[in-house]
Amino acid sequence: MKIIKISVRNLVEFLLRSGDIDNRIHHAPDTAMLEGGKIHRMIQKSMGPEYQAEVPLSYTYTTDNYILVVDGRADGIVDNKDGTALIDEIKGTYRDINKLKEPDNVHLAQAKCYAAIYAGDNDLDAVTVRITYCNIDSKEQRYFDSDFTKDEISDYFRMLLDSYDKWAKYITFWEDERNSSIKKVEFPFPYRDGQKELAAGVYRTIYHGKKLFLEAPTGTGKTLSTVFPAVKAIGESKADRIFYLTAKTITRTVAEEAFDILRNTQKLKFKTVTLTAKEKVCFEDKCDCNPSACKCAKGHFDRINDCIYDFLTHEDNFDREKITEYAIKYNVCPFEMALDMSLWADGIICDYNYAFDPFVYLKRFFAEGKRGDNIFLIDEAHNLLDRGREMYSSSLYLEELYLFRKEIELSHKKIASLVALCETELEKLIPSDGKYCLLYDISPLMNRIMRLYSVLSSWLEDHAEGKKRDEILEFYFKISAFTTIYELIDDKYVIYADNTEDEGGKIKLLCVDPSENLAYCMSRARSTILFSATMLPVQYYKRLLGGDATDYELYAHSVFDPEKCAHLIASDVTSKYTRRTEEEYRKIAGYISDIVKAKSGNYMIFFPSRIFMDDVGMIYEKEFYDEENEEILVQQEVMTESDREEFLGRFTPGNDIDFTGIINMEIEVEKSKSVLGFCVMGGIFSEGIDLKKDSLIGAIIVGTGIPMVCNENDIIKNYFDENGEDGFDYAYRYPGINKVLQAAGRVIRTENDKGIVALLDERFMQKSYYDLFPREWKNIKLVSTNTVKSDVKAVWERL
């Protein structure tokens, strides 16, 4: 019989939200999670020896169709001598607790469930349910007590279980359907060379509950080769759910296609949801989740229950298009609906931040640090390092404080005065010149910020409307993030202040090494598969992405013939700062000209920076540009989605024209020009694009890709030097080579592609770089300004 597990918290929140108990929107008092945990421990320690803290509770409800296991952890229980008990639910808040008229309905329902379970287990005649609110600043406490007989509390709990019955029955029906279909699923295509071993490696990793760091070159079919074994593991009850985590929209689309292939070719029954940012799916011009401003927000919870059930019973692919369709049909918020649908999905396709970001992670799955039977598939995992640093770091700018104070000082003098005190403390920490200084104690500043945070929180709770409320709320979120990250600081962090011309004065809590934070998030999954075409050197990524010595590594076999892609290194040019002269730019422009004129076709030229691109581009256009046979495209600093599509569309002209419909017509076919795309390395066109066959025949990469020398990168370098690693490698060389490899990977996208990758920097001849090249890069040829024209011509003759 099917066993369904659900926490008390999720049961209560789902039923309240779905309208089975109360159709209104409930808002719990604003709670700072980390501070709230401290409040719990403080109260629990103060309650005396008879107070049992963090009591695990579980109830098994058996029906004819399923077994429902409801579990949770009561904050506190006191057994009374008269055969009764007190069940305590503790909540920390910044609100003025004296203004609370009654306990929040969700909190009360949660405590009543714990009370029902405990009363049943211990045959109690009556129980007292207590909701304890504690102000995080003042530590003042307020209690709301409710007394229930055994029958009253058990009837309430049974009512909740009965309300959940139709959902539990559906889960039972669906999982039987899903698992039966999975048993019949086979890999949908003939295995490429090495692909079966790759899929087997993924399955073994899931089976043993480990992490796998997978270097999977283009052509290995890494998406399907990771999705397929993960689906099989679900069918074997090794896990309950797949999270396919991505950094870019394009890779989310690829994941959707992989699941669709299995559904369409193998009749797989598997529900997937794609989570899209609220700003992209909102029907309003401005995201304002207020019933007075949004027609979907008004009455959303009155309609969402029917919407979910309709969606759930008629569709398997909850993608953006279908989410929009059902949201319009039921007039509900598409973003909130997508989050709700994730509870019923077997696979969740979403951005990294839904699993890793401390502010927006999916609490319905990962609250209270619980480990679930999840599989994390992390695509383009090389991006997770920078994203991890970004998610677990926070900055506070002097100008932000000043502008906010000026914005609100006429209408909110008290708040403005507190902001001014924060400004004063921050000014003391900021150096006067453009250098940076490391900080070891910022408690005076944090004391000021926490006081400001408390006042803002209280004001927002008391004022649903008010002068400058939007500005206050936005600023509140900024300092809330800063205080939350401050609580995470350990030896993986560096605190520094600097004062630069571009940004002005700031203080930053920099997570230099995000490995422990990422590993903690990955502990919420049974197994994590991290894969990328450019995860070299693998030990660097394993070290910083939360791996340990027991985790696995795999270098997948490339199915592409290495002889179909020539790799050249220019031996007499460089992008080093000391050589950035007009003469060097001219030599680089000459290299580009000789390479692209050797064979007509489309090329992308990647530069280390926009300024460098402009300097070389100006010389190329003036001295080497062949207007009759070439077209130059330049990546702009800001490009809309349509701008990007138009840019890439120039590499595949005529693909939308059906020439089979042109019969017996005399047409003049214009000779196509070579398209030269001038791009910035590491930018929007250097990864995640798929130009196949003759759409792109060459990538010319100028420089080693090392990040700009700046205060923060120097801090990263020094940190790793002090911790026994090569700081230059960690801060500069490894991030740079990844950008190079990503750019080079644009050329060969199918087994039939042929092309050339030219590395224009003499530093690539150094062993420290050469050793980082992928193993399939064979027969790399050194060229010079004198030989490049004949060498490239010979390459194309061979190809």
Side-chain angles (χ1 to χ4, degrees):
M1 188 177 291
K2 171 64 182 175
I3 298 176
I4 301 171
K5 296 179 181 180
I6 189 171
S7 69
V8 167
R9 176 176 177 171
N10 281 351
L11 175 73
V12 168
E13 289 185 349
F14 174 74
L15 291 174
L16 286 172
R17 181 173 57 243
S18 66
D20 287 341
I21 297 175
D22 192 325
N23 290 326
R24 295 172 300 169
I25 299 176
H26 293 270
H27 292 290
D30 177 41
T31 303
M33 183 170 57
L34 295 170
E35 291 295 329
K38 293 179 182 178
I39 290 297
H40 276 65
R41 292 186 290 273
M42 180 197 76
I43 293 175
Q44 289 165 344
K45 289 179 181 178
S46 69
M47 296 303 290
E50 70 280 2
Y51 189 93
Q52 306 171 63
E54 302 297 329
V55 180
L57 297 169
S58 180
Y59 179 78
T60 300
Y61 178 56
T62 303
T63 72
D64 294 337
N65 301 297
Y66 59 86
I67 298 172
L68 181 65
V69 179
V70 184
D71 58 15
R73 191 178 294 271
D75 292 333
I77 295 179
V78 177
D79 290 317
N80 300 319
K81 295 180 180 180
D82 61 358
T84 64
L86 180 143
I87 312 298
D88 192 15
E89 180 70 15
I90 303 168
K91 300 296 178 184
T93 180
Y94 283 106
R95 293 180 67 180
D96 182 351
I97 60 175
N98 294 312
K99 294 181 179 180
L100 297 176
K101 297 179 179 179
E102 60 185 10
D104 178 82
N105 198 31
V106 174
H107 299 160
L108 181 60
Q110 191 174 345
K112 287 167 73 174
C113 290
Y114 294 142
I117 296 172
Y118 192 75
D121 288 347
N122 295 277
D123 197 25
L124 303 179
D125 294 328
V127 290
T128 297
V129 171
R130 168 173 291 176
I131 308 299
T132 300
Y133 289 115
C134 180
N135 184 276
I136 290 174
D137 281 330
S138 68
K139 306 300 186 287
E140 183 182 2
Q141 299 174 33
R142 186 174 180 190
Y143 309 113
F144 291 93
D145 289 357
S146 303
D147 297 322
F148 300 94
T149 66
K150 179 180 181 180
D151 288 342
E152 288 172 338
I153 202 71
S154 62
D155 287 348
Y156 176 80
F157 188 46
R158 181 57 184 264
M159 181 269 291
L160 288 180
L161 299 178
D162 288 343
S163 298
Y164 194 69
D165 179 67
K166 76 169 183 178
W167 303 98
K169 285 179 178 176
Y170 184 80
I171 292 173
T172 303
F173 158 76
W174 173 252
E175 290 196 7
D176 286 344
E177 284 272 299
R178 182 197 67 191
N179 291 347
S180 176
S181 76
I182 291 175
K183 285 181 170 57
K184 302 172 186 175
V185 168
E186 297 181 354
F187 199 77
F189 306 113
Y191 281 112
R192 298 173 183 173
D193 188 18
Q195 197 172 29
K196 189 172 184 178
E197 290 75 16
L198 192 164
V202 171
Y203 186 86
R204 280 194 300 271
T205 304
I206 296 170
Y207 181 86
H208 291 293
K210 297 291 185 180
K211 302 185 196 78
L212 173 64
F213 291 82
L214 172 61
E215 163 77 11
T218 302
T220 54
K222 58 182 180 294
T223 304
L224 202 53
S225 299
T226 53
V227 167
F228 173 72
V231 168
K232 280 293 190 181
I234 298 286
E236 296 294 331
S237 300
K238 299 293 185 292
D240 294 333
R241 184 174 284 107
I242 297 170
F243 284 84
Y244 195 102
L245 304 166
T246 75
K248 293 181 170 64
T249 302
I250 184 64
T251 43
R252 290 197 278 282
T253 303
V254 172
E256 289 176 336
E257 291 171 353
F259 285 108
D260 277 340
I261 287 170
L262 294 176
R263 280 191 282 252
N264 296 333
T265 67
Q266 302 295 306
K267 297 183 180 179
L268 171 68
K269 300 286 188 179
F270 204 85
K271 295 188 183 295
T272 57
V273 63
T274 303
L275 301 182
T276 307
K278 182 187 294 187
E279 294 75 15
K280 292 185 177 181
V281 296
C282 182
F283 297 145
E284 305 294 332
D285 294 333
K286 177 185 177 183
C287 290
D288 186 356
C289 301
N290 185 322
S292 63
C294 175
K295 62 183 180 181
C296 293
K298 186 174 179 60
H300 168 89
F301 286 98
D302 297 330
R303 303 179 293 273
I304 190 62
N305 189 42
D306 291 337
C307 178
I308 291 173
Y309 201 76
D310 186 10
F311 204 173
L312 191 62
T313 53
H314 289 91
E315 309 289 345
D316 288 350
N317 183 8
F318 315 145
D319 61 11
R320 180 174 174 176
E321 182 180 343
K322 283 294 179 182
I323 287 168
T324 299
E325 177 186 328
Y326 277 81
I328 292 172
K329 180 178 178 181
Y330 284 90
N331 189 29
V332 295
C333 170
F335 179 72
E336 289 295 330
M337 183 184 70
L339 294 179
D340 282 345
M341 295 308 296
S342 71
L343 289 167
W344 307 97
D346 307 303
I348 299 172
I349 303 168
C350 59
D351 189 86
Y352 294 159
N353 59 14
Y354 289 103
F356 294 103
D357 193 298
F359 305 104
V360 298
Y361 72 93
L362 294 172
K363 295 178 178 60
R364 60 194 71 202
F365 296 108
F366 309 130
E368 300 165 358
K370 64 182 180 183
R371 171 173 173 165
D373 285 327
N374 308 305
I375 299 169
F376 286 176
L377 303 181
I378 304 179
D379 197 359
E380 302 292 359
H382 63 275
N383 288 307
L384 184 58
L385 176 53
D386 283 343
R387 287 286 297 276
R389 282 194 178 121
E390 178 185 334
M391 287 186 282
Y392 287 96
S393 300
S394 186
S395 299
L396 188 63
Y397 292 84
L398 191 59
E399 186 177 18
E400 280 181 334
L401 294 173
Y402 169 77
L403 292 176
F404 176 67
R405 175 170 58 82
K406 300 301 289 184
E407 181 77 33
I408 55 99
E409 63 183 355
L410 294 179
S411 51
H412 300 281
K413 292 183 179 179
K414 180 181 178 181
I415 295 175
S417 66
L418 293 174
V419 176
L421 293 173
C422 293
E423 284 182 75
T424 301
E425 289 296 337
L426 182 53
E427 283 176 334
K428 295 176 183 178
L429 302 173
I430 294 175
S432 57
D433 54 23
K435 297 180 180 179
Y436 67 86
C437 61
L438 302 185
L439 305 172
Y440 302 96
D441 180 14
I442 60 170
S443 53
L445 172 64
M446 292 309 302
N447 290 337
R448 296 292 190 191
I449 289 174
M450 292 305 297
R451 173 60 182 155
L452 173 61
Y453 179 64
S454 174
V455 170
L456 291 176
S457 181
S458 297
W459 188 89
L460 289 167
E461 285 290 343
D462 295 338
H463 298 82
E465 308 253 333
K467 289 184 178 180
K468 302 293 183 181
R469 191 183 191 280
D470 288 347
E471 290 80 1
I472 291 174
L473 182 62
E474 182 180 353
F475 184 77
Y476 168 78
F477 286 143
K478 287 179 181 177
I479 64 168
S480 174
F482 193 82
T483 57
T484 300
I485 295 300
Y486 181 73
E487 290 293 326
L488 298 176
I489 286 180
D490 57 15
D491 61 356
K492 307 295 185 184
Y493 278 79
V494 170
I495 306 175
Y496 75 92
D498 67 2
N499 189 359
T500 64
E501 186 176 342
D502 292 338
E503 296 182 325
K506 77 169 186 293
I507 181 173
K508 183 162 187 177
L509 314 176
L510 174 62
C511 182
V512 182
D513 179 356
S515 57
E516 289 188 3
N517 289 327
L518 296 176
Y520 173 76
C521 294
M522 289 183 219
S523 71
R524 298 165 176 161
R526 170 190 176 88
S527 177
T528 299
I529 313 298
L530 304 98
F531 54 101
S532 169
T534 59
M535 199 180 285
L536 294 174
V538 68
Q539 293 303 326
Y540 163 72
Y541 287 103
K542 190 175 182 181
R543 156 85 169 76
L544 293 183
L545 295 181
D548 60 44
T550 66
D551 291 324
Y552 306 149
E553 306 154 22
L554 179 63
Y555 196 120
H557 174 74
S558 174
V559 300
F560 294 159
D561 181 357
E563 296 299 324
K564 289 187 176 182
C565 185
H567 296 86
L568 313 177
I569 295 178
S571 62
D572 53 359
V573 290
T574 183
S575 67
K576 289 173 68 173
Y577 287 98
T578 55
R579 294 257 296 273
R580 293 192 177 184
T581 63
E582 185 173 334
E583 180 184 356
E584 197 73 14
Y585 297 151
R586 183 169 285 105
K587 287 173 68 177
I588 292 171
Y591 260 108
I592 296 170
S593 177
D594 287 340
I595 293 170
V596 302
K597 288 178 175 59
K599 180 174 175 61
S600 177
N602 299 337
Y603 297 81
M604 280 192 169
I605 302 99
F606 296 96
F607 296 88
S609 69
R610 179 164 301 280
I611 294 174
F612 199 107
M613 178 178 71
D614 291 342
D615 288 338
V616 174
M618 192 179 304
I619 293 175
Y620 186 89
E621 189 169 2
K622 183 179 179 180
E623 301 181 18
F624 299 96
Y625 179 43
D626 180 357
E627 186 175 0
E628 184 177 340
N629 296 303
E630 296 174 359
E631 176 185 358
I632 295 178
L633 304 177
V634 180
Q635 177 185 336
Q636 301 302 310
E637 194 163 0
V638 177
M639 299 184 77
T640 64
E641 196 165 324
S642 60
D643 292 336
R644 299 178 194 182
E645 290 176 1
E646 183 179 351
F647 185 97
L648 293 174
R650 295 301 302 138
F651 287 83
T652 54
N655 286 356
D656 56 342
I657 300 175
D658 182 10
F659 285 102
T660 60
I662 303 175
I663 303 175
N664 296 328
M665 292 181 62
E666 293 186 8
I667 58 174
E668 183 178 346
V669 179
E670 182 181 349
K671 179 184 176 183
S672 61
K673 296 181 179 182
S674 294
V675 177
L676 312 184
F678 280 47
C679 306
V680 178
M681 208 185 320
I684 55 176
F685 298 119
S686 62
E687 64 175 286
I689 63 170
D690 210 17
L691 297 174
K692 299 175 181 177
K693 299 181 180 178
D694 291 337
S695 296
L696 189 72
I697 65 169
I700 302 170
I701 301 165
V702 181
T704 57
I706 63 172
M708 180 179 66
V709 176
C710 63
N711 290 343
E712 188 160 304
N713 285 331
D714 271 354
I715 289 170
I716 295 172
K717 174 184 177 298
N718 294 336
Y719 173 90
F720 285 109
D721 276 338
E722 293 168 4
N723 284 274
E725 306 287 355
D726 187 315
F728 182 82
D729 282 351
Y730 273 53
Y732 293 103
R733 196 190 318 275
Y734 294 161
I737 198 65
N738 187 274
K739 289 191 286 185
V740 169
L741 298 180
Q742 279 291 329
R746 299 313 95 210
V747 179
I748 304 296
R749 309 302 296 175
T750 74
E751 294 180 49
N752 298 319
D753 290 358
K754 299 176 183 179
I756 187 169
V757 173
L759 307 179
L760 304 190
D761 199 304
E762 60 198 37
R763 285 174 290 179
F764 285 116
M765 296 188 297
Q766 298 171 9
K767 187 176 187 301
S768 54
Y769 282 101
Y770 208 87
D771 288 346
L772 298 175
F773 292 159
R775 63 177 66 168
E776 56 270 15
W777 284 22
K778 297 180 179 179
N779 303 319
I780 299 173
K781 185 171 184 60
L782 296 182
V783 298
S784 68
T785 51
N786 295 325
T787 67
V788 61
K789 186 180 296 185
S790 58
D791 288 336
V792 173
K793 184 178 179 181
V795 162
W796 283 115
E797 288 175 353
R798 177 178 63 80
L799 291 176

